[in-house]
Amino acid sequence: MTKIVLLLLILLLPVSVAAQSNKRRLAAEVKAEFLHAWTGYKKYAWGHDDLKPLSKTYHDWYAQPLLMTPVDSLDTMIIMGLDEEAARTQAYILDNLSFDKDIDVQNFEITIRILGGLITNYQLTNDKRFLNLAEDLGKRLLPVFNSPTGMPYRYVNLKTGKVRNPVSNPAETGTLLLEFGALSKLTGNPVFYDKAKRALVETYNRRSKIGLVGEWINVETGQWTNTDSHISGAIDSYYEYLLKCSVLFADPDCKRMWNDSITAINKYLADEVKTEIRTELWYGHADMNTGARTDSTYGALDAFFPAVLALSGDLTRAKRLQDSSFAMWKHNDIEPEVFDYRTKTVKSAGYPLRPEIIESTYYLYHYTKDDRYLRMGEQMWRDFVKHCRTDEAYAALKSVVTKEKSDSMQSFLFAETFKYFYLLFAPPETLDFKNVVFNTEAHPIRRTW
Ligand code: DMJ
């Protein structure tokens, strides 16, 4: 018996040594490619929000920049051990970032990218100035919650507090509690937690009789203006935060809201599709009131869901859905924004460098330690570099069919896509997974309270 075990060990050892060295090589490649894109950003867009990688100029979201790319990128640099770049970026942010600006900003995007980035940067560096910036920003965003329902307006002026755009969606009304809640815990001021939680609960309270939410809602009247239900853009991270606020804050209301929601999602949105080889699991669209199927589309944004299912403990569905996401990726050797899973056709062909499918691969590898997720990740990494790399950075694709590039490189490339690829291949001790919760922009928030 002992001899057999020994023999097996001797036979398997070279395999695992090779797998480990392949992982190390891939992690180093991701780090090098992160630096390649970052160098392009620094050369042509330093001090601005984003690089336009084809025209080699910059793009600012508003009339004045908010350092979107540096703030979103810093924690990835720290995690990758890029100490010099991180120190320089940290100093630049702290010297130059100010929110005293007469600009209307989109609350959701600023919360997940900048507020989330500042909170994680504070936790990783211990530099109190990051927390001061986060608190200043949080206070400037608070007027969004001054609607009759408590659900936030979409835009707010950072200087005047004037709000606009009352028609919003669950992703924008419900993806705030991790950042605002952490801000309360770290500053001792409960107002942020309370307002963001109320917004989440008010969204949940407007679910239909069968437990689903719709796509667009008026935060002044509380009425749905679009009843399409799905897990895709405009709803996606609302579900993610129902689960994650229960993990980060041990808030029992969040747990209850998540449990109710996932039951309805699995009943009405999950779609079993028989093919010659297997029965595939997808999540499509349905009407929030009747549950009637309205569309069989899924896409790059939906591909976050295996990660959420895995985090919730449902590895069976997580694995099956990840297989579907990967099949969607392989259809064109890179994933489209929208894919019809019944006809297997591309419905919206862009690829803006999204991370969700990599995020799910990372979670599944973390939970299962199954090498197939490493192989999946490696294949996606090779395709990603092949199709999206430019001479001085990375570029989104106008079409995954033709592989024509477009002049955009959003900050989530650094915050999320490179980070999740890196974490998938890096040694597990690179990040203390069980003690952090990633916000939807992949900023890991540590429960220090
Ligand atoms: C990111 O800003 C976040 O992940 C958000 O939840 C969805 N869209 C992008 C990435 O695709």
Side-chain angles (χ1 to χ4, degrees):
M1 182 65 178
T2 342
K3 272 189 190 155
I4 295 173
V5 172
L6 256 177
L7 193 67
L8 270 176
L9 273 177
I10 291 165
L11 284 174
L12 289 176
L13 207 60
V15 178
S16 90
V17 170
Q20 287 311 316
S21 92
N22 193 37
K23 271 183 78 193
R24 263 199 305 277
R25 199 173 43 243
L26 285 164
E29 269 181 38
V30 176
K31 196 163 153 177
E33 290 307 306
F34 174 98
L35 272 178
H36 170 75
W38 176 248
T39 306
Y41 164 78
K42 280 196 304 186
K43 188 163 167 192
Y44 299 107
W46 186 238
H48 293 279
D49 286 338
D50 297 331
L51 169 70
K52 293 176 84 174
L54 303 186
S55 54
K56 297 186 179 171
T57 177
Y58 58 80
H59 161 72
D60 285 320
W61 285 40
Y62 309 108
Q64 301 171 65
L66 287 170
L67 307 188
M68 210 76 83
T69 290
V71 176
D72 237 1
S73 307
L74 178 55
D75 60 359
T76 306
M77 289 175 205
I78 296 173
I79 288 168
M80 288 180 172
L82 294 165
D83 298 343
E84 267 176 40
E85 287 301 335
R88 199 169 150 213
T89 307
Q90 176 175 346
Y92 188 81
I93 294 170
L94 292 172
D95 287 347
N96 293 281
L97 186 57
S98 149
F99 300 116
D100 190 22
K101 291 177 162 54
D102 187 7
I103 50 175
D104 290 6
V105 301
Q106 193 181 352
N107 178 52
F108 164 77
E109 294 289 357
I110 297 304
T111 298
I112 66 170
R113 299 186 197 219
I114 300 195
L115 189 57
L118 290 172
I119 287 168
T120 295
N121 293 336
Y122 165 62
Q123 291 192 315
L124 288 176
T125 62
N126 244 339
D127 191 324
K128 186 86 195 303
R129 289 172 296 174
F130 281 122
L131 184 60
N132 296 340
L133 276 168
E135 189 174 10
D136 178 43
L137 177 59
K139 284 184 178 154
R140 290 171 190 274
L141 296 175
L142 278 181
V144 292
F145 298 106
N146 296 338
S147 74
T149 63
M151 289 187 287
Y153 289 90
R154 295 184 68 209
Y155 283 83
V156 59
N157 185 292
L158 287 181
K159 202 191 253 311
T160 65
K162 196 165 176 293
V163 291
R164 64 176 169 88
N165 292 63
V167 179
S168 191
N169 53 70
E172 296 197 43
T173 60
T175 311
L176 307 165
L177 185 48
L178 295 193
E179 300 81 358
F180 279 76
L183 190 57
S184 277
K185 301 290 181 192
L186 295 169
T187 59
N189 181 351
V191 68
F192 306 109
Y193 192 105
D194 294 346
K195 299 257 185 198
K197 180 164 173 196
R198 178 169 174 218
L200 185 64
V201 172
E202 292 289 341
T203 309
Y204 169 80
N205 284 346
R206 287 172 174 79
R207 72 198 181 285
S208 66
K209 286 201 181 75
I210 60 170
L212 294 174
V213 294
E215 195 178 82
W216 290 93
I217 188 161
N218 187 314
V219 304
E220 290 177 342
T221 64
Q223 298 298 311
W224 293 101
T225 62
N226 179 320
T227 59
D228 191 23
S229 195
H230 50 80
I231 56 158
S232 194
I235 300 182
D236 47 5
S237 46
Y238 157 72
Y239 289 128
E240 179 184 349
Y241 274 34
L242 285 181
L243 175 66
K244 287 185 174 176
C245 74
S246 102
V247 180
L248 186 61
F249 303 118
D251 187 319
D253 296 333
C254 294
K255 181 114 185 94
R256 179 179 48 79
M257 294 190 290
W258 162 258
N259 285 341
D260 288 353
S261 302
I262 190 62
T263 306
I265 292 171
N266 282 331
K267 184 159 178 198
Y268 297 105
L269 302 182
D271 204 355
E272 300 277 346
V273 179
K274 282 200 177 65
T275 69
E276 274 164 24
I277 310 160
R278 63 192 173 96
T279 302
E280 300 171 338
L281 174 66
W282 297 89
Y283 285 77
H285 291 230
D287 182 83
M288 69 177 275
N289 295 310
T290 63
R293 176 75 55 203
T294 51
D295 208 351
S296 53
T297 52
Y298 181 91
L301 283 166
D302 308 63
F304 80 105
F305 211 58
V308 168
L309 288 169
L311 182 66
S312 77
D314 187 351
L315 271 178
T316 308
R317 285 192 183 83
K319 288 183 197 169
R320 291 186 64 207
L321 187 60
Q322 180 67 10
D323 286 347
S324 300
S325 297
F326 190 50
M328 170 177 78
W329 177 285
K330 284 196 299 188
H331 196 263
N332 294 89
D333 292 333
I334 201 144
E335 62 179 357
E337 188 73 349
V338 182
F339 184 70
D340 189 314
Y341 53 77
R342 287 203 172 263
T343 60
K344 308 287 188 237
T345 49
V346 171
K347 291 287 168 186
S348 171
Y351 175 63
L353 304 170
R354 290 206 191 280
E356 287 79 1
I357 193 168
I358 320 302
E359 173 185 3
S360 290
T361 314
Y362 166 57
Y363 273 69
L364 276 162
Y365 181 60
H366 170 83
Y367 284 113
T368 65
K369 297 288 174 291
D370 185 338
D371 282 356
R372 72 188 296 263
Y373 297 109
L374 283 180
R375 292 194 296 275
M376 215 180 248
E378 179 170 358
Q379 186 168 337
M380 290 193 277
W381 171 246
R382 301 269 170 245
D383 293 338
F384 173 76
V385 175
K386 179 171 171 198
H387 299 305
C388 302
R389 193 180 203 269
T390 67
D391 56 346
E392 295 198 85
Y394 271 73
L397 298 182
K398 202 171 274 174
S399 164
V400 298
V401 180
T402 64
K403 310 291 187 296
E404 186 190 349
K405 294 191 172 72
S406 75
D407 200 10
S408 158
M409 186 180 85
Q410 287 219 45
S411 62
F412 56 68
L413 167 70
F414 296 104
E416 301 192 69
T417 314
F418 281 129
K419 185 185 285 146
Y420 285 128
F421 267 129
Y422 183 74
L423 288 173
L424 171 65
F425 301 131
E429 58 276 15
T430 306
L431 185 109
D432 185 10
F433 188 97
K434 67 176 185 319
N435 288 318
V436 301
V437 173
F438 289 94
N439 87 335
T440 195
E441 189 77 2
H443 297 303
I445 301 178
R446 204 157 18 98
R447 189 174 168 171
T448 53
W449 42 88

